Amino acid sequence: MITPNLRPAAHREGLTLGDHRALRGDRFWRQIPAWRDVDEATFLDHRWQLSKSVSSTDVLASLLGPRLQQSFLDDVRDGFARAPMSMRITPYVLALIDWDDPTNDPVCRQFLPLGSEHEESHPMATLDSLNEQKDAAAPGLTHRYPDKVLLLSTDVCPVNCRYCTRSYSVGSSTDSVAKLDFRANRARYAQAFDYIRRTPSVEDVVVSGGDTYLVAPKLLEHIGDELLAIPHVRRIRLATKGLAMMPQKILTDEAWYGTVSDLVARARKQGVHVCIHTHFNHPNEITEITRRATDRLFQAGVTVRNQSVLLRGVNDTPEVMALLIRRLAYINVQPYYVYIHDMVPGVETLRTSLAEAIELEKETRGYTAGFMTPTFVCDAYGGGGKRDLHSYEYYDHKRGVAVYRSPVVDPDKVFYYFDPLRALERPMQQAWRVPELRKRVINAVERQAALRRGVPA
């Protein structure tokens, strides 16, 4: 087993109490040669942000000109040839990247894959490793927990994260993945609403996608109206990474912002809690523009929670994770979850081992109040749902397998997390590549987990 190689905790690296308040407030977008003359009003316009989003390496090259090295561009093209997600990046995100060193930039790493960093996917990786489609009660509606459903409102996002857990549907089809169609559609929604009406145990609805940022205001209002008309629905969560990747929309799209703030107010009068769940991964993503957007939501009484994904080379050190958590708290966004990376094919280089994730959680906890400290979770492979990282039944470091149970989801089944092959010794890496040996590895770990529980193997 390879021992986790974590740097010292943040306080030993000189993290000061004020660092989390030092938000970028300059006209950073002017580092992009094509946008040297773009004024602030234009950059804050959500329509400009969407219309100027970058969706090809040719456009990327034209915007950056001599700032973009040909070797890096070629590496990116090679990366996308094997990636499950196509390119889509907002100008805001593009401008946050350090183009003097894009290879090591934590924002760039989330959106632009490099062929030179490609690792073979773990043999157990699948496009729907969480079994969302298997647990679908209606098209685009997953019902796994007794009182909660997930509604996929659309299959598009303002940005395409290369590690997306819904690579099976989000974004355009790629050379390696033909996507399922979950476009915004009232007829499809009607089937979901009908199921929710007929299922009184459902109290919590997560409206996700894709991204609710790109659901038209009238359609978002329709979703809200339908859910508020169902008496047993008590909680509605609007999921959007857009707040992190295009905060301008909160500031300049009055129709969308007005729809959300009105829905929150109407719901509160009915005793229903409507909130936003967003997705920041690195402190560099939080700027003064972000704070202006979150301040506006806070003043309207909108609760905002954050769900990060643990990404190797992005936020997998104590100093970065601690700074992210405290910076989120500073702008009134509650750090809710940090997910260990799902078993998504094509992005193995971004995954960490479970041992590394657990050690990071230990190093991070204590830098701020408990209610502003996220829970580190594993969304268990095979549809087990979210489990606290530490709650495994058995973790075999040598074989790189953790076994979880999820009694509410299925009391008779076990679920897994598989460490990346790079974390294992070479003979074990080879064993995983042979189907028959792979089965033996998993069976051996299952037997050990059963013995730990006192269950006959």
Side-chain angles (χ1 to χ4, degrees), residues 286-334:
I286 302 172
T287 67
E288 284 291 348
I289 298 173
T290 315
R291 181 163 70 166
R292 288 168 60 182
T294 55
D295 280 353
R296 193 178 194 202
L297 292 169
F298 184 76
Q299 289 158 12
V302 182
T303 300
V304 182
R305 303 189 187 106
N306 187 70
Q307 301 181 166
S308 298
V309 175
L310 180 57
L311 301 169
R312 178 171 170 254
V314 174
N315 55 14
D316 60 335
T317 61
E319 60 268 30
V320 171
M321 186 58 71
L323 183 57
L324 172 63
I325 291 168
R326 297 187 71 210
R327 191 163 283 179
L328 287 167
Y330 179 60
I331 62 170
N332 290 313
V333 174
Q334 181 184 1

Side-chain angles (χ1 to χ4, degrees), residues 369-442:
F371 71 95
M372 281 295 187
T373 300
T375 301
F376 283 62
V377 296
C378 170
D379 210 341
Y381 178 92
K386 300 167 189 66
R387 316 308 295 164
D388 188 296
L389 288 186
H390 300 263
S391 67
Y392 53 78
E393 300 294 315
Y394 180 69
Y395 179 25
D396 190 319
H397 295 248
K398 181 178 178 180
R399 294 182 174 96
V401 185
V403 177
Y404 289 91
R405 292 181 63 243
S406 186
V408 172
V409 174
D410 189 334
D412 301 318
K413 188 176 179 181
V414 295
F415 304 91
Y416 309 97
Y417 182 75
F418 301 99
D419 284 339
L421 296 185
R422 91 178 83 82
L424 311 178
E425 300 294 345
R426 188 171 296 277
M428 187 56 62
Q429 293 181 25
Q430 295 296 88
W432 274 107
R433 295 183 177 100
V434 180
E436 184 57 39
L437 294 179
R438 190 184 312 153
K439 292 178 183 177
R440 293 181 189 176
V441 168
I442 295 174

